Amino acid sequence: MFMVIHVMLIKLNLWQKKHKLYVIYDGAHAFGCSFKGKSLLNFGDISTCSFHATKLFHSVEGGCIITNDDEIAQKLMLFRQFGHIGDEYYSIGINGKNSEFHAAMGLCVLDDIVDIINDRKRIFSLYDKELNKLNLRRPVVADFEFSYNYSYYPIFFHSEECMLNTKESLSKEGVNTRRYFFPSLNKLPYLNTQTCELSEKYSNHVLCLPLYHGLSEADVLHICTIINKSVGTN
């Protein structure tokens, strides 16, 4: 998988230079991830990252835009502060500045980010060990000079029916899960798009399990027991 991504990055970079285009990456979940020692947020001309409260690193709300281009950085600075510096106006802009509260929250989380990632790795490994791999699949993080942040633990069921039954079984035990990412974007009623067979298939079969700093081993084992029992009868 990551060999394919590496080839795609190289081809995209060549295509970008040939046609003199800018590349913008959605790196919403990529905080703390790196490829060949380089942060994923350093690829492309611009990368965006979400700091929403559901993300690994967060400031409750907000996000960031990352670029190594000084001209782009200057434009972004103006866009987020009304387009002016002092009494001099240079462009259009909005009030897109961060607040003191959100910055303070981000600094608090940043102090513990290494411990947070390590604890999520612990939970991730426990799920890997305890879940029934005969009836479940998950995306595999290949050991290809890639550093992962353990942001989510999605599992794929052999059918949507099995997934829904398992979700209901977990809910009855007070375990909240999400059909993440669902639905396939091409199925949204306000978009006019073509059929995407693989996206539709996998979005219907996927469920994200609880994964957060401090989740106890006992809770993880309880969750795995419910899932293994459910997939074993569907």
Side-chain angles (χ1 to χ4, degrees), residues 4 19 27 34 63 68 73 98-99 131 138 143 149 188 205 229:
V4 173
H19 297 282
S34 63
N68 288 319
N98 203 359
S99 74
L131 286 174
R138 71 163 180 82
D143 184 15
N149 61 8
L188 294 175
H205 293 191
K229 181 178 179 180

Side-chain angles (χ1 to χ4, degrees), residues 59-123:
S59 56
V60 181
E61 281 286 5
C64 68
I65 303 176
I66 296 173
T67 180
N68 288 319
D69 188 306
D70 290 340
E71 183 179 351
I72 293 175
Q74 177 70 9
K75 289 181 178 179
L76 291 171
M77 181 273 291
L78 291 170
F79 289 162
R80 73 170 180 261
Q81 60 180 48
F82 304 108
H84 72 91
I85 301 176
D87 292 329
E88 299 296 325
Y89 286 77
Y90 299 94
S91 74
I92 60 172
I94 62 171
N95 185 9
K97 302 184 297 297
N98 203 359
S99 74
E100 295 291 342
F101 172 79
H102 293 100
M105 177 59 75
L107 289 173
C108 289
V109 176
L110 189 60
D111 286 342
D112 296 318
I113 196 64
V114 173
D115 290 337
I116 290 171
I117 292 176
N118 286 337
D119 197 47
R120 296 174 79 96
K121 181 179 181 180
R122 171 189 65 83
I123 299 164

Side-chain angles (χ1 to χ4, degrees), residues 20 24 29 36 63 70 90 102 119 150 170 186 194 215:
K20 298 181 180 179
I24 301 175
H29 305 278
K36 289 184 174 291
D70 290 340
Y90 299 94
H102 293 100
D119 197 47
Y150 304 93
L170 289 165
N186 66 301
Q194 64 185 16
L215 181 62

Side-chain angles (χ1 to χ4, degrees), residues 135-139 153-167 170 177-184 197-209 227 231:
N135 295 315
L136 298 169
R137 292 183 296 160
R138 71 163 180 82
Y153 195 96
I155 52 176
F156 292 91
F157 296 79
H158 61 77
S159 70
E160 184 176 20
E161 180 184 8
C162 181
M163 182 275 297
L164 290 174
N165 287 338
T166 302
K167 181 175 174 59
L170 289 165
T177 55
R178 290 191 64 187
R179 299 187 67 176
Y180 203 54
F181 296 87
F182 173 84
S184 177
E197 293 183 6
L198 290 179
S199 177
E200 293 169 26
K201 173 184 176 181
Y202 288 112
S203 66
N204 285 333
H205 293 191
V206 67
L207 196 66
C208 266
L209 304 185
I227 296 173
V231 298

Side-chain angles (χ1 to χ4, degrees), residues 16 34 52 63 73 114 116 144 147 158 168 177 216-217 224 230:
Q16 171 193 6
S34 63
H52 184 263
V114 173
I116 290 171
F144 189 68
S147 178
H158 61 77
E168 183 178 0
T177 55
S216 71
E217 180 175 338
C224 292
S230 179

Side-chain angles (χ1 to χ4, degrees), residues 27-39:
H29 305 278
F31 188 96
C33 292
S34 63
F35 179 67
K36 289 184 174 291
K38 180 179 178 181
S39 169

